[in-house]
Amino acid sequence: MVMLCFVLDLRSLSPPLLRDLKQSMLQLANLYATSSSTSSTGSSRSKPLLDRIGLCYVFKNRTSRTDERKVAYSPRGNFSLRNFHHAVSNLPSDAFLPDFNSSGALCCSDLKLCSILNDKVLYSWGGHDKDITRKVVLISSSVYETMDSATKKALADAADNCVSVEFVFLEQNSSHLVDTPGSVNKFLKQIGDLENCSFQNYIPDAHALSGLVKKWFQELKEDLEEQLQAHFVFKSNLLGSMNQISCNLCTSFNQIIDEFVPCKSCRCHGIPFDNSKMIRTDISSCPVTGIQLGALDLVDSSVKIGEHTILYMPSFQCCQDIQKVSLPINFNVIERTYLSSLDEGIILGASYIVTPAFSELDDTDKSELNVKLFQVLCGVLHSLDQGLVCSSNCNVETAKQTSFLCYYILLPSEKGVMILRRLAGSEEVLPVPDITNIACIRVSEDIENSLQASLLKIELRNYDPVQHNRGFHQRLNLLVKESLQFGAIPAKAKELVAASDTALQDPMIEDLSVQVNSVEVIEEKVLDSKLADDKTGAKITEEWEQLVVLEMPKMSSPTCISKPKLHKEVSSPPQSTGKLDDKTSRILERLEVPKQLKRKAASPTVSSSSAKKPLIPFGPSNTNSQAIFSSQTIRPNFQRLKRKR
């Protein structure tokens, strides 16, 4: 956690430079107000944003002609975006009173550091929290040539209190006429013995000021993510036995929000209500205390800035809800850009394939002309290796209108289609990590030759996504295969199967053909089950011998048999995995339809006669044994017997 204290030397900042610097301060506050924590809990979202930005300025009193210091904004509680904007906007714009040294360069005699590095100002901000790291940023266009003993002692005491001091020198346009490097070198010698002091020199253009804002914002972010560490491993050694390069991964942009959301908040704490909770109840209560609030205790015209900041607006200036974008979406072409100069790190979001619209229902000539123009545009851009930068008030990923512009790049391809990607704007781009210490390292020719030889061994070909399998389907197939091998069926599924099979079985068999059919089904099930143990097989053999062999139907009538009825439920033998013995096999062979019945079935004379019904053995009384019957029976080949009328 870092607390920044900005000290502006208004004596040396010209009005144009001060105006630009004010805008940079406001941008820093806006980014900090919209910054969100990595935690997604409701309590962290409703927690106010801590105040960690201080603002002081040094000016010359025109009456007493003495240098004075004033505090414009002190961080003593929760961050107030409105109050900070008010403090920055009210910085005096007529305090530019430069002093020049003998060489004609801007100089100052005192930066009033002793009045800032004390218990009344800096050390009292943030309380006595040991986790707070304080940093003072002095911004000036003049060089601090002389440093008295009191200032040196204050800087040394600041180092003991874990306070760092950064001197930011914004070089003026006319400074090239004077000996600025000489003045800078003198100042660097004075702070060379202080480890907590640093010096930065910038030309105050748009890029430099924007980079400073993003740098300060990264220091303020409480949830600043650490750089990811990675290793790039090669198949062959790069140099000696070394086959990998260690690197750090960091993001290059910080995507900002697309709109400001109107909300309702309480006057007591200024915390917005959860809209999802307010829909379920008509009673409004304070999000902190839970006390029921009346109409006068609510602020209807509030605007939510990010997750932590609330602005109270007049009712007639309250923002409206962002609506869905109307189709078609308009992309305004701004400029062309060389693809080789495009920083890939600022391309964010999903890719959209762009194809020409063609419809036979519309004007055919216009549709064909539209396709031709698209093909020519794609071909020309591809030949020039260029793309089109476009702007739109639509976020394509959310399909909503935005309060401010979104930038896109239209990229051509060799295959005749184009791709649309979103680009980061100036507020979203983060500064590139400082690698000045890496660039000054000399590389020997042996290392270059060894690395080049290793790179030439790597296969070179155009990237084809079809040839680069991530292994998703293979992994999922293995998971499904393992699940199938588990083989367990849920209990509810077993009950449904058993109930379905039982419902399909008719306990009243009215025809001999149905009886024979059922016997064939039983025979088939017994053969397929492959009985596993001899005890179960012997039990089944005994049941069949008693119920079928010993009580075979008597053929009392030479012409026909009556239709016997089975008054008991039919059950199947228990499931087993063993083989049938010889005795059981001979019993099953006797279950075939007698040849006499086949001959008599062709006789035209049919008479009724009673015959004893064959019994079907009962298996163990459990539901699992009944579940092995097939729901579809197999019809026998012989004809059905005709009834005599």
Side-chain angles (χ1 to χ4, degrees), residues 100-103 105-109 142-147 179 182-184 186-187 190:
F100 300 94
N101 57 12
S102 58
S103 62
L106 286 175
C107 65
C108 64
S109 57
S142 60
V143 180
Y144 195 21
E145 292 184 345
T146 60
M147 187 178 299
D179 187 16
S183 301
V184 171
K186 291 181 181 179
F187 176 72
Q190 298 183 66

Side-chain angles (χ1 to χ4, degrees), residues 384-409:
L384 297 175
D385 193 28
Q386 296 177 355
L388 297 179
V389 179
C390 310
S391 65
S392 177
N393 282 103
C394 170
N395 186 338
V396 180
E397 294 189 13
T398 60
K400 289 184 178 181
Q401 293 181 353
T402 57
S403 301
F404 22 83
L405 290 177
C406 296
Y407 293 96
Y408 298 89
I409 180 71

Side-chain angles (χ1 to χ4, degrees), residues 482-498 501 575 624 627-628:
E482 293 177 3
S483 177
L484 292 175
Q485 290 177 351
F486 185 69
I489 302 177
K492 291 185 177 180
K494 289 183 178 180
E495 294 175 3
L496 291 176
V497 173
D501 293 340
Q575 185 176 359
N624 294 335
I628 64 173

